[in-house]
Coordinates of all heavy atoms in Angstrom, one line a residue:
M20 N -10.4 4.5 24.0 CA -11.6 5.0 23.4 C -11.4 6.4 22.8 O -12.1 6.7 21.9 CB -12.7 5.0 24.4 CG -14.1 5.1 23.8 SD -14.4 3.7 22.7 CE -16.1 3.7 22.6
S21 N -10.5 7.1 23.4 CA -10.3 8.5 22.9 C -9.7 8.4 21.5 O -9.9 9.4 20.7 CB -9.4 9.3 23.8 OG -8.1 8.7 23.9
Y22 N -8.9 7.4 21.2 CA -8.4 7.2 19.8 C -9.5 7.1 18.8 O -9.4 7.8 17.8 CB -7.5 6.0 19.7 CG -6.8 5.8 18.4 CD1 -5.8 6.6 18.0 CD2 -7.4 4.9 17.5 CE1 -5.2 6.5 16.7 CE2 -6.8 4.8 16.2 CZ -5.7 5.5 15.9 OH -5.2 5.4 14.6
V23 N -10.5 6.4 19.1 CA -11.6 6.2 18.2 C -12.4 7.5 18.0 O -12.8 7.9 16.9 CB -12.6 5.1 18.6 CG1 -13.8 5.0 17.8 CG2 -11.8 3.7 18.6
N24 N -12.6 8.2 19.1 CA -13.3 9.5 19.1 C -12.4 10.5 18.3 O -13.0 11.3 17.5 CB -13.5 10.1 20.5 CG -14.6 9.3 21.2 OD1 -15.4 8.6 20.6 ND2 -14.5 9.2 22.5
D25 N -11.1 10.5 18.4 CA -10.3 11.4 17.7 C -10.3 11.1 16.2 O -10.4 12.0 15.4 CB -8.8 11.3 18.2 CG -7.9 12.3 17.5 OD1 -8.3 13.4 17.3 OD2 -6.8 11.8 17.2
L26 N -10.4 9.8 15.9 CA -10.5 9.4 14.5 C -11.8 9.8 13.8 O -11.8 10.3 12.7 CB -10.3 7.9 14.4 CG -10.1 7.3 13.1 CD1 -8.8 7.8 12.4 CD2 -10.1 5.8 13.2
Q27 N -12.8 9.8 14.6 CA -14.1 10.2 14.0 C -14.2 11.7 13.7 O -14.8 12.1 12.7 CB -15.2 9.8 15.0 CG -16.2 10.8 15.4 CD -17.1 10.3 16.5 OE1 -17.0 9.2 17.0 NE2 -18.0 11.2 16.9
F28 N -13.5 12.5 14.5 CA -13.5 13.9 14.2 C -12.5 14.2 13.0 O -12.6 15.3 12.4 CB -13.1 14.7 15.4 CG -14.2 14.7 16.4 CD1 -13.9 14.2 17.7 CD2 -15.4 15.2 16.2 CE1 -14.9 14.2 18.6 CE2 -16.4 15.2 17.1 CZ -16.2 14.7 18.4
Y29 N -11.5 13.4 12.8 CA -10.5 13.5 11.8 C -11.1 13.3 10.4 O -10.7 13.9 9.4 CB -9.3 12.6 12.0 CG -8.2 12.8 11.0 CD1 -7.4 13.9 10.9 CD2 -8.0 11.7 10.1 CE1 -6.4 14.0 10.0 CE2 -7.0 11.8 9.1 CZ -6.2 13.0 9.1 OH -5.2 13.1 8.2
L30 N -12.1 12.4 10.3 CA -12.6 12.0 9.0 C -13.8 12.9 8.6 O -14.9 12.7 9.0 CB -13.1 10.5 9.1 CG -12.1 9.4 9.2 CD1 -12.7 8.1 9.4 CD2 -11.2 9.5 8.0
D31 N -13.4 13.8 7.8 CA -14.5 14.6 7.1 C -14.3 14.5 5.6 O -13.4 13.8 5.2 CB -14.4 16.1 7.6 CG -13.1 16.8 7.4 OD1 -12.2 16.1 6.9 OD2 -12.9 18.0 7.6
S32 N -15.1 15.3 4.9 CA -15.0 15.1 3.4 C -13.7 15.5 2.8 O -13.3 14.9 1.8 CB -16.2 15.9 2.8 OG -16.0 17.2 3.1
S33 N -13.0 16.5 3.3 CA -11.8 16.9 2.7 C -10.6 15.9 3.1 O -9.7 15.7 2.3 CB -11.4 18.3 3.2 OG -11.2 18.4 4.6
S34 N -10.7 15.4 4.3 CA -9.6 14.5 4.7 C -9.7 13.1 4.1 O -8.6 12.5 3.9 CB -9.6 14.4 6.3 OG -10.7 13.7 6.7
I35 N -10.8 12.7 3.6 CA -10.9 11.4 2.9 C -10.2 11.5 1.6 O -9.5 10.5 1.3 CB -12.4 11.0 2.8 CG1 -13.0 10.7 4.1 CG2 -12.5 9.8 1.8 CD1 -14.5 10.4 4.1
G36 N -10.2 12.6 0.9 CA -9.5 12.7 -0.3 C -8.0 12.7 -0.1 O -7.2 12.2 -0.9
V37 N -7.6 13.3 1.0 CA -6.2 13.4 1.4 C -5.7 12.0 1.7 O -4.6 11.5 1.3 CB -5.9 14.3 2.6 CG1 -4.5 14.2 3.1 CG2 -6.2 15.8 2.2
I38 N -6.5 11.2 2.4 CA -6.1 9.8 2.8 C -6.0 9.0 1.5 O -5.1 8.2 1.4 CB -7.1 9.3 3.8 CG1 -7.0 10.0 5.1 CG2 -6.9 7.8 4.0 CD1 -8.2 9.8 6.0
V39 N -6.9 9.1 0.6 CA -6.9 8.3 -0.6 C -5.6 8.7 -1.4 O -5.0 7.8 -2.0 CB -8.2 8.5 -1.4 CG1 -8.1 7.9 -2.8 CG2 -9.4 7.9 -0.7
E40 N -5.3 10.0 -1.5 CA -4.2 10.4 -2.2 C -2.9 9.9 -1.5 O -2.0 9.4 -2.2 CB -4.1 12.0 -2.2 CG -2.9 12.6 -2.9 CD -2.9 14.1 -2.8 OE1 -3.9 14.7 -2.3 OE2 -1.8 14.6 -3.2
L41 N -2.8 9.9 -0.2 CA -1.7 9.3 0.5 C -1.5 7.8 0.2 O -0.4 7.3 0.0 CB -1.8 9.6 2.0 CG -1.5 11.1 2.4 CD1 -1.8 11.2 3.9 CD2 -0.1 11.4 2.1
L42 N -2.6 7.1 0.2 CA -2.6 5.7 0.0 C -2.1 5.4 -1.5 O -1.4 4.5 -1.7 CB -4.0 5.1 0.2 CG -4.4 4.9 1.6 CD1 -5.9 4.5 1.7 CD2 -3.5 4.0 2.4
L43 N -2.6 6.2 -2.4 CA -2.2 6.1 -3.8 C -0.7 6.3 -4.0 O 0.1 5.5 -4.6 CB -2.9 7.0 -4.7 CG -2.6 7.0 -6.2 CD1 -2.9 5.6 -6.8 CD2 -3.3 8.1 -7.0
V44 N -0.2 7.4 -3.4 CA 1.3 7.7 -3.5 C 2.1 6.6 -2.8 O 3.1 6.1 -3.3 CB 1.6 9.1 -2.9 CG1 3.1 9.3 -2.7 CG2 0.9 10.2 -3.7
T45 N 1.6 6.2 -1.6 CA 2.4 5.1 -0.9 C 2.4 3.8 -1.7 O 3.5 3.2 -1.8 CB 1.7 4.9 0.5 OG1 1.7 6.1 1.2 CG2 2.4 3.8 1.3
S46 N 1.3 3.4 -2.2 CA 1.3 2.2 -3.0 C 2.1 2.3 -4.2 O 2.7 1.3 -4.6 CB -0.2 1.8 -3.3 OG -0.8 2.7 -4.1
C47 N 2.1 3.4 -4.9 CA 3.0 3.6 -6.1 C 4.5 3.5 -5.7 O 5.2 2.7 -6.4 CB 2.7 4.9 -6.7 SG 1.2 5.0 -7.6
I48 N 4.9 4.1 -4.7 CA 6.3 4.1 -4.3 C 6.7 2.7 -3.8 O 7.7 2.1 -4.2 CB 6.6 5.1 -3.2 CG1 6.4 6.5 -3.7 CG2 8.0 4.9 -2.6 CD1 6.5 7.6 -2.7
A49 N 5.8 2.0 -3.0 CA 6.1 0.7 -2.6 C 6.1 -0.3 -3.7 O 6.8 -1.3 -3.7 CB 5.1 0.3 -1.5
T50 N 5.2 -0.1 -4.7 CA 5.2 -1.0 -5.9 C 6.5 -0.8 -6.7 O 7.0 -1.8 -7.2 CB 3.9 -0.7 -6.7 OG1 2.8 -0.9 -5.9 CG2 3.9 -1.7 -7.9
I51 N 7.0 0.4 -6.8 CA 8.2 0.6 -7.5 C 9.3 -0.1 -6.8 O 10.2 -0.7 -7.4 CB 8.5 2.1 -7.7 CG1 7.5 2.7 -8.6 CG2 9.9 2.4 -8.1 CD1 7.5 4.2 -8.7
I52 N 9.3 -0.1 -5.4 CA 10.3 -0.8 -4.6 C 10.2 -2.3 -4.9 O 11.2 -3.0 -5.0 CB 10.1 -0.5 -3.2 CG1 10.6 1.0 -2.9 CG2 10.9 -1.4 -2.3 CD1 10.3 1.5 -1.5
F53 N 8.9 -2.8 -5.0 CA 8.7 -4.2 -5.3 C 9.3 -4.7 -6.6 O 9.9 -5.7 -6.8 CB 7.2 -4.6 -5.2 CG 6.9 -6.0 -5.6 CD1 7.3 -7.0 -4.8 CD2 6.1 -6.2 -6.7 CE1 7.0 -8.3 -5.2 CE2 5.8 -7.5 -7.1 CZ 6.2 -8.6 -6.3
I54 N 9.0 -3.8 -7.6 CA 9.5 -4.1 -9.0 C 11.0 -4.1 -9.0 O 11.7 -4.9 -9.7 CB 8.9 -3.2 -10.0 CG1 7.4 -3.5 -10.1 CG2 9.5 -3.3 -11.4 CD1 6.6 -2.5 -10.9
A55 N 11.6 -3.1 -8.3 CA 13.1 -2.9 -8.3 C 13.8 -4.0 -7.6 O 14.8 -4.5 -8.0 CB 13.4 -1.6 -7.8
T56 N 13.3 -4.4 -6.4 CA 14.0 -5.4 -5.6 C 13.5 -6.8 -5.8 O 14.2 -7.7 -5.3 CB 13.8 -5.0 -4.1 OG1 12.4 -5.1 -3.7 CG2 14.3 -3.6 -3.8
K57 N 12.3 -7.0 -6.3 CA 11.7 -8.3 -6.5 C 11.5 -9.0 -5.1 O 11.5 -10.2 -5.0 CB 12.6 -9.2 -7.4 CG 12.9 -8.7 -8.7 CD 11.7 -8.7 -9.6 CE 12.1 -8.4 -11.0 NZ 11.4 -7.3 -11.6
N58 N 11.4 -8.2 -4.1 CA 11.2 -8.8 -2.7 C 9.9 -8.2 -2.2 O 9.7 -7.0 -1.9 CB 12.3 -8.4 -1.8 CG 12.3 -9.1 -0.5 OD1 11.3 -9.5 -0.1 ND2 13.5 -9.3 0.0
Q59 N 8.9 -9.1 -2.0 CA 7.6 -8.7 -1.5 C 7.6 -8.2 -0.1 O 6.8 -7.3 0.3 CB 6.6 -9.8 -1.7 CG 6.9 -11.0 -0.8 CD 5.9 -12.1 -1.1 OE1 5.1 -12.0 -2.0 NE2 6.1 -13.2 -0.3
Y60 N 8.5 -8.7 0.7 CA 8.5 -8.4 2.1 C 9.1 -6.9 2.3 O 8.6 -6.2 3.2 CB 9.3 -9.4 2.9 CG 8.8 -10.8 2.8 CD1 9.5 -11.7 2.1 CD2 7.5 -11.1 3.3 CE1 9.0 -13.0 1.9 CE2 7.0 -12.4 3.2 CZ 7.8 -13.3 2.5 OH 7.2 -14.6 2.3
I61 N 10.1 -6.6 1.6 CA 10.6 -5.2 1.7 C 9.6 -4.2 1.2 O 9.4 -3.2 1.8 CB 11.9 -5.1 0.8 CG1 13.0 -5.9 1.4 CG2 12.3 -3.7 0.7 CD1 14.3 -6.0 0.6
S62 N 8.9 -4.6 0.1 CA 7.8 -3.7 -0.4 C 6.7 -3.5 0.7 O 6.2 -2.4 0.9 CB 7.3 -4.2 -1.7 OG 6.2 -3.4 -2.1
Y63 N 6.3 -4.6 1.2 CA 5.2 -4.6 2.2 C 5.6 -3.8 3.4 O 4.8 -2.9 3.9 CB 4.8 -6.0 2.6 CG 3.8 -6.1 3.7 CD1 2.5 -5.7 3.5 CD2 4.1 -6.6 4.9 CE1 1.5 -5.8 4.5 CE2 3.2 -6.6 6.0 CZ 1.9 -6.2 5.7 OH 1.0 -6.3 6.7
L64 N 6.8 -4.1 4.0 CA 7.2 -3.4 5.2 C 7.6 -1.9 4.9 O 7.6 -1.1 5.9 CB 8.4 -4.2 5.8 CG 8.0 -5.6 6.3 CD1 9.3 -6.3 6.8 CD2 7.0 -5.5 7.4
S65 N 8.0 -1.6 3.7 CA 8.3 -0.2 3.4 C 7.1 0.7 3.3 O 7.2 1.9 3.4 CB 9.2 -0.1 2.2 OG 8.4 -0.4 1.0
S66 N 5.9 0.1 3.1 CA 4.7 0.9 2.9 C 4.3 1.7 4.1 O 3.8 2.8 4.1 CB 3.6 0.1 2.4 OG 3.2 -0.9 3.3
A67 N 4.6 1.1 5.3 CA 4.2 1.8 6.6 C 5.1 3.0 6.8 O 4.5 4.1 7.0 CB 4.3 0.8 7.7
P68 N 6.4 2.9 6.7 CA 7.2 4.2 6.9 C 7.0 5.2 5.8 O 7.0 6.4 6.1 CB 8.6 3.7 7.0 CG 8.7 2.3 6.7 CD 7.3 1.8 6.7
I69 N 6.8 4.8 4.6 CA 6.5 5.7 3.5 C 5.3 6.5 3.8 O 5.2 7.7 3.7 CB 6.4 5.0 2.2 CG1 7.8 4.4 1.7 CG2 5.9 5.9 1.1 CD1 7.7 3.5 0.5
F70 N 4.2 5.8 4.2 CA 2.9 6.5 4.5 C 3.1 7.4 5.7 O 2.6 8.6 5.7 CB 1.8 5.5 4.8 CG 0.5 6.1 5.0 CD1 -0.4 6.4 4.0 CD2 0.1 6.4 6.3 CE1 -1.6 7.0 4.2 CE2 -1.1 7.0 6.5 CZ -2.0 7.3 5.5
Y71 N 3.8 7.0 6.7 CA 4.0 7.8 7.9 C 4.8 9.1 7.6 O 4.3 10.1 8.0 CB 4.7 7.0 9.0 CG 5.0 7.7 10.2 CD1 4.0 7.9 11.2 CD2 6.2 8.3 10.5 CE1 4.2 8.7 12.3 CE2 6.5 9.0 11.6 CZ 5.5 9.2 12.5 OH 5.7 9.9 13.7
F72 N 5.9 8.9 6.9 CA 6.7 10.1 6.6 C 6.0 11.1 5.7 O 6.1 12.3 5.9 CB 8.1 9.7 6.1 CG 8.9 9.1 7.2 CD1 9.5 7.9 7.0 CD2 9.2 9.9 8.3 CE1 10.3 7.3 8.0 CE2 10.0 9.3 9.3 CZ 10.6 8.1 9.2
I73 N 5.3 10.6 4.6 CA 4.6 11.5 3.7 C 3.5 12.2 4.4 O 3.3 13.4 4.3 CB 4.1 10.7 2.5 CG1 5.3 10.3 1.6 CG2 3.2 11.5 1.7 CD1 4.9 9.4 0.4
S74 N 2.8 11.4 5.3 CA 1.7 12.0 6.0 C 2.2 13.1 7.0 O 1.6 14.2 7.1 CB 0.9 10.9 6.7 OG -0.1 11.5 7.5
K75 N 3.2 12.8 7.7 CA 3.8 13.8 8.7 C 4.4 15.0 8.0 O 4.2 16.1 8.4 CB 4.8 13.1 9.5 CG 4.3 12.3 10.7 CD 3.7 13.3 11.7 CE 3.5 12.5 13.0 NZ 2.8 13.4 14.0
W76 N 5.0 14.7 6.8 CA 5.7 15.8 6.1 C 4.7 16.8 5.5 O 4.8 18.0 5.7 CB 6.6 15.3 5.1 CG 7.5 16.3 4.4 CD1 7.9 17.5 4.9 CD2 8.2 16.1 3.2 NE1 8.8 18.1 4.0 CE2 9.0 17.3 3.0 CE3 8.2 15.1 2.2 CZ2 9.7 17.4 1.8 CZ3 9.0 15.3 1.1 CH2 9.7 16.4 0.9
F77 N 3.7 16.3 4.8 CA 2.7 17.2 4.1 C 1.6 17.6 5.0 O 1.1 18.7 4.8 CB 2.2 16.5 2.9 CG 3.3 16.4 1.8 CD1 3.8 15.2 1.4 CD2 3.8 17.6 1.2 CE1 4.7 15.1 0.4 CE2 4.7 17.5 0.2 CZ 5.2 16.3 -0.2
Y78 N 1.1 16.7 5.9 CA -0.2 17.0 6.5 C 0.0 17.1 8.1 O -1.0 17.3 8.8 CB -1.2 16.0 6.1 CG -1.4 16.0 4.7 CD1 -1.0 15.0 3.9 CD2 -2.1 17.1 4.0 CE1 -1.1 15.0 2.5 CE2 -2.3 17.1 2.7 CZ -1.8 16.1 1.9 OH -1.9 16.1 0.6
Q79 N 1.1 16.9 8.6 CA 1.4 17.0 10.0 C 0.5 16.1 10.9 O 0.3 16.4 12.1 CB 1.4 18.4 10.5 CG 2.5 19.3 10.0 CD 2.2 19.8 8.6 OE1 1.1 20.0 8.2 NE2 3.3 19.9 7.8
N80 N -0.1 15.1 10.3 CA -1.0 14.2 11.1 C -1.0 12.8 10.5 O -1.0 12.7 9.3 CB -2.4 14.8 11.1 CG -3.3 14.2 12.1 OD1 -2.9 13.3 12.9 ND2 -4.5 14.8 12.3
T81 N -1.0 11.8 11.3 CA -1.2 10.5 10.9 C -1.8 9.6 12.0 O -1.8 10.0 13.1 CB 0.2 9.9 10.4 OG1 -0.1 8.6 9.8 CG2 1.1 9.7 11.6
H82 N -2.4 8.5 11.6 CA -3.0 7.6 12.5 C -2.6 6.2 12.2 O -2.3 5.8 11.1 CB -4.6 7.7 12.4 CG -5.1 8.9 13.0 ND1 -5.4 9.1 14.3 CD2 -5.5 10.1 12.4 CE1 -5.9 10.2 14.6 NE2 -6.0 10.9 13.4
L83 N -2.5 5.4 13.3 CA -2.1 4.0 13.2 C -3.0 3.2 12.2 O -2.5 2.4 11.4 CB -2.1 3.3 14.5 CG -1.6 1.9 14.6 CD1 -0.2 1.7 14.1 CD2 -1.8 1.3 15.9
I84 N -4.3 3.5 12.3 CA -5.2 2.7 11.4 C -4.9 3.0 9.9 O -5.1 2.1 9.1 CB -6.7 3.1 11.8 CG1 -7.7 2.1 11.1 CG2 -7.0 4.5 11.4 CD1 -7.8 0.9 11.9
F85 N -4.5 4.2 9.6 CA -4.2 4.5 8.2 C -2.9 3.8 7.8 O -2.7 3.5 6.6 CB -4.2 6.0 7.9 CG -5.5 6.6 8.2 CD1 -5.6 7.8 8.9 CD2 -6.7 6.1 7.7 CE1 -6.8 8.4 9.2 CE2 -7.9 6.7 8.0 CZ -8.0 7.8 8.7
I86 N -1.9 3.7 8.7 CA -0.7 3.0 8.4 C -1.0 1.5 8.1 O -0.5 0.9 7.2 CB 0.3 3.2 9.5 CG1 0.8 4.6 9.6 CG2 1.5 2.3 9.3 CD1 1.6 5.0 10.8
V87 N -1.9 0.9 8.9 CA -2.3 -0.5 8.7 C -3.0 -0.6 7.4 O -2.8 -1.6 6.6 CB -3.1 -1.0 9.9 CG1 -3.7 -2.3 9.6 CG2 -2.3 -1.0 11.1
L88 N -3.9 0.4 7.1 CA -4.6 0.4 5.8 C -3.6 0.5 4.6 O -3.8 -0.2 3.6 CB -5.6 1.6 5.8 CG -6.5 1.7 4.5 CD1 -7.4 0.5 4.4 CD2 -7.3 2.9 4.6
A89 N -2.6 1.3 4.7 CA -1.6 1.4 3.7 C -0.9 0.1 3.5 O -0.6 -0.4 2.3 CB -0.6 2.5 4.0
M90 N -0.5 -0.6 4.5 CA 0.1 -1.9 4.4 C -0.9 -3.0 3.8 O -0.4 -3.8 3.0 CB 0.6 -2.4 5.8 CG 1.7 -1.6 6.3 SD 2.2 -2.0 8.0 CE 3.1 -3.5 7.6
T91 N -2.1 -2.9 4.1 CA -3.1 -3.8 3.6 C -3.3 -3.6 2.1 O -3.3 -4.5 1.3 CB -4.5 -3.6 4.3 OG1 -4.3 -3.8 5.7 CG2 -5.5 -4.6 3.8
V92 N -3.3 -2.3 1.7 CA -3.4 -2.0 0.2 C -2.2 -2.5 -0.5 O -2.3 -3.1 -1.6 CB -3.6 -0.5 0.0 CG1 -3.4 -0.1 -1.4 CG2 -5.0 0.0 0.5
Q93 N -1.0 -2.3 0.1 CA 0.2 -2.8 -0.6 C 0.2 -4.3 -0.7 O 0.6 -4.9 -1.7 CB 1.4 -2.3 0.1 CG 2.7 -2.7 -0.5 CD 2.8 -2.2 -2.0 OE1 2.2 -1.1 -2.3 NE2 3.5 -2.9 -2.8
A94 N -0.3 -5.0 0.4 CA -0.4 -6.5 0.3 C -1.3 -6.9 -0.8 O -1.0 -7.9 -1.5 CB -0.8 -7.0 1.7
L95 N -2.4 -6.2 -1.0 CA -3.3 -6.6 -2.1 C -2.7 -6.4 -3.4 O -2.9 -7.2 -4.3 CB -4.6 -5.8 -1.9 CG -5.5 -6.1 -0.7 CD1 -6.7 -5.2 -0.6 CD2 -6.0 -7.6 -0.9
I96 N -2.0 -5.3 -3.6 CA -1.3 -5.0 -4.8 C -0.2 -6.1 -5.1 O -0.2 -6.6 -6.3 CB -0.6 -3.6 -4.8 CG1 -1.7 -2.5 -4.8 CG2 0.3 -3.4 -6.0 CD1 -1.2 -1.1 -4.6
I97 N 0.5 -6.5 -4.1 CA 1.5 -7.5 -4.3 C 0.8 -8.9 -4.7 O 1.3 -9.6 -5.6 CB 2.4 -7.7 -3.0 CG1 3.3 -6.5 -2.8 CG2 3.2 -9.0 -3.1 CD1 3.9 -6.5 -1.5
L98 N -0.3 -9.2 -4.1 CA -1.0 -10.4 -4.4 C -1.5 -10.4 -5.8 O -1.4 -11.4 -6.6 CB -2.1 -10.6 -3.4 CG -1.7 -11.1 -2.0 CD1 -3.0 -11.1 -1.1 CD2 -1.0 -12.4 -2.1
C99 N -2.0 -9.2 -6.3 CA -2.5 -9.1 -7.6 C -1.4 -9.3 -8.7 O -1.5 -9.9 -9.7 CB -3.2 -7.8 -7.8 SG -4.8 -7.6 -7.0
I100 N -0.2 -8.6 -8.4 CA 0.9 -8.8 -9.3 C 1.4 -10.2 -9.4 O 1.6 -10.7 -10.5 CB 2.0 -7.8 -8.8 CG1 1.7 -6.4 -9.1 CG2 3.3 -8.1 -9.6 CD1 2.6 -5.4 -8.5
Q101 N 1.5 -10.9 -8.2 CA 1.9 -12.2 -8.2 C 0.9 -13.2 -8.9 O 1.3 -14.1 -9.6 CB 2.2 -12.7 -6.8 CG 3.5 -12.1 -6.2 CD 3.7 -12.5 -4.8 OE1 2.8 -13.0 -4.1 NE2 4.9 -12.3 -4.4
K102 N -0.3 -12.9 -8.7 CA -1.4 -13.8 -9.4 C -1.3 -13.6 -10.9 O -1.3 -14.6 -11.6 CB -2.7 -13.4 -8.9 CG -3.8 -14.2 -9.5 CD -5.2 -13.8 -8.9 CE -6.3 -14.6 -9.5 NZ -7.6 -14.2 -9.1
K103 N -1.1 -12.4 -11.4 CA -0.9 -12.2 -12.8 C 0.3 -12.8 -13.3 O 0.3 -13.4 -14.4 CB -0.9 -10.7 -13.1 CG -0.9 -10.3 -14.6 CD -1.3 -8.9 -14.8 CE -1.2 -8.7 -16.3 NZ -2.5 -8.6 -16.9
Q104 N 1.4 -12.7 -12.6 CA 2.7 -13.4 -13.0 C 2.5 -14.9 -13.1 O 3.0 -15.6 -14.0 CB 3.8 -13.0 -12.1 CG 4.3 -11.6 -12.2 CD 5.4 -11.3 -11.2 OE1 5.6 -12.0 -10.2 NE2 6.1 -10.2 -11.4
N105 N 1.8 -15.5 -12.1 CA 1.6 -16.9 -12.1 C 0.7 -17.4 -13.2 O 1.0 -18.4 -13.8 CB 1.0 -17.4 -10.7 CG 2.0 -17.3 -9.6 OD1 3.2 -17.2 -9.8 ND2 1.5 -17.2 -8.4
S106 N -0.3 -16.6 -13.5 CA -1.2 -17.0 -14.7 C -0.4 -16.8 -16.0 O -0.6 -17.7 -16.9 CB -2.4 -16.1 -14.7 OG -2.1 -14.8 -14.9
N107 N 0.5 -15.8 -16.1 CA 1.3 -15.7 -17.3 C 2.2 -16.9 -17.4 O 2.4 -17.4 -18.5 CB 2.1 -14.4 -17.3 CG 1.2 -13.2 -17.6 OD1 0.0 -13.3 -18.1 ND2 1.7 -12.0 -17.2
E108 N 2.8 -17.3 -16.3 CA 3.8 -18.4 -16.4 C 3.0 -19.7 -16.7 O 3.5 -20.6 -17.5 CB 4.5 -18.6 -15.0 CG 5.5 -17.5 -14.8 CD 6.1 -17.6 -13.3 OE1 5.7 -18.6 -12.6 OE2 6.9 -16.7 -13.0
E109 N 1.8 -19.9 -16.2 CA 1.0 -21.1 -16.6 C 0.6 -21.1 -18.0 O 0.6 -22.2 -18.7 CB -0.2 -21.2 -15.7 CG 0.1 -21.5 -14.2 CD -1.1 -21.5 -13.4 OE1 -2.2 -21.3 -13.9 OE2 -1.0 -21.6 -12.1
A110 N 0.3 -19.9 -18.6 CA 0.0 -19.8 -20.0 C 1.2 -20.2 -20.8 O 1.1 -20.9 -21.9 CB -0.5 -18.4 -20.3
L111 N 2.4 -19.7 -20.5 CA 3.6 -20.1 -21.2 C 3.9 -21.5 -21.1 O 4.3 -22.2 -22.1 CB 4.8 -19.2 -20.7 CG 4.8 -17.8 -21.1 CD1 5.9 -17.1 -20.3 CD2 5.0 -17.6 -22.6
K112 N 3.7 -22.1 -20.0 CA 3.9 -23.6 -19.8 C 3.0 -24.4 -20.7 O 3.4 -25.4 -21.3 CB 3.8 -24.0 -18.4 CG 5.0 -23.6 -17.5 CD 4.8 -24.0 -16.1 CE 6.0 -23.5 -15.3 NZ 5.8 -23.8 -13.8
S113 N 1.7 -24.0 -20.7 CA 0.7 -24.7 -21.6 C 1.0 -24.6 -23.0 O 0.8 -25.5 -23.8 CB -0.7 -24.2 -21.2 OG -0.9 -22.9 -21.6
E114 N 1.6 -23.4 -23.4 CA 2.0 -23.2 -24.8 C 3.1 -24.1 -25.2 O 3.2 -24.7 -26.3 CB 2.4 -21.7 -25.1 CG 1.2 -20.7 -25.0 CD 0.7 -20.4 -26.3 OE1 1.4 -20.5 -27.3 OE2 -0.5 -20.1 -26.4
M115 N 4.1 -24.2 -24.2 CA 5.2 -25.1 -24.5 C 4.8 -26.6 -24.6 O 5.4 -27.3 -25.4 CB 6.3 -24.9 -23.3 CG 6.8 -23.5 -23.3 SD 7.8 -23.1 -24.7 CE 9.4 -23.7 -24.2
V116 N 3.9 -27.0 -23.8 CA 3.4 -28.4 -23.8 C 2.7 -28.7 -25.2 O 2.9 -29.7 -25.7 CB 2.5 -28.6 -22.6 CG1 1.8 -30.0 -22.8 CG2 3.3 -28.6 -21.3
K117 N 2.0 -27.7 -25.7 CA 1.2 -27.9 -26.9 C 2.2 -28.0 -28.1 O 1.9 -28.7 -29.1 CB 0.3 -26.7 -27.2 CG -0.9 -26.7 -26.3 CD -1.8 -25.5 -26.6 CE -3.0 -25.5 -25.6 NZ -3.9 -24.4 -25.8
Q118 N 3.3 -27.4 -28.0 CA 4.3 -27.4 -29.1 C 5.1 -28.7 -29.0 O 5.4 -29.5 -29.6 CB 5.2 -26.2 -29.1 CG 4.5 -25.0 -29.4 CD 5.4 -23.7 -29.3 OE1 6.6 -23.8 -29.0 NE2 4.9 -22.6 -29.6

């Protein structure tokens, strides 16, 4: 229960901006890894350590819930990219069938 109490004192108006910034930087780096490696699992699993190290390095504080949140955001980004790729492939296939 102390973890939840500690988390509630950590969340103020200035720290929410920091958390959003960290999530944005983490998702950008993990997305670059996804594009470079074409491996969704490496990108997803790399988002947790990236968030942890950036958070510890710049802000000397991190929480497990935010690491899970970073992984969730990266999973959503990967799903969006794959959905767009699948829809583009289906559009190309339908064009080929029409010709």
Side-chain angles (χ1 to χ4, degrees):
M20 195 62 161
S21 66
Y22 181 77
V23 175
N24 291 334
D25 181 43
L26 190 63
Q27 124 187 5
F28 291 118
Y29 181 71
L30 289 176
D31 59 354
S32 60
S33 64
S34 65
I35 291 175
V37 169
I38 293 166
V39 170
E40 179 183 352
L41 286 172
L42 288 173
L43 178 65
V44 169
T45 301
S46 63
C47 287
I48 293 171
T50 303
I51 290 169
I52 291 171
F53 174 67
I54 292 170
T56 62
K57 304 286 190 238
N58 191 334
Q59 65 186 3
Y60 303 110
I61 291 174
S62 174
Y63 174 70
L64 293 175
S65 70
S66 62
I69 290 170
F70 183 87
Y71 179 79
F72 288 122
I73 290 174
S74 180
K75 278 291 194 182
W76 189 19
F77 288 113
Y78 302 106
Q79 291 79 36
N80 197 356
T81 188
H82 285 279
L83 178 64
I84 191 84
F85 298 134
I86 293 173
V87 172
L88 183 64
M90 292 177 74
T91 304
V92 168
Q93 185 58 29
L95 291 172
I96 290 171
I97 290 170
L98 288 174
C99 289
I100 290 172
Q101 288 179 341
K102 183 177 178 184
K103 184 160 178 106
Q104 286 176 347
N105 289 341
S106 65
N107 287 343
E108 288 174 4
E109 289 175 8
L111 285 173
K112 286 180 184 177
S113 67
E114 292 264 331
M115 296 294 274
V116 170
K117 287 180 183 178
Q118 293 177 355

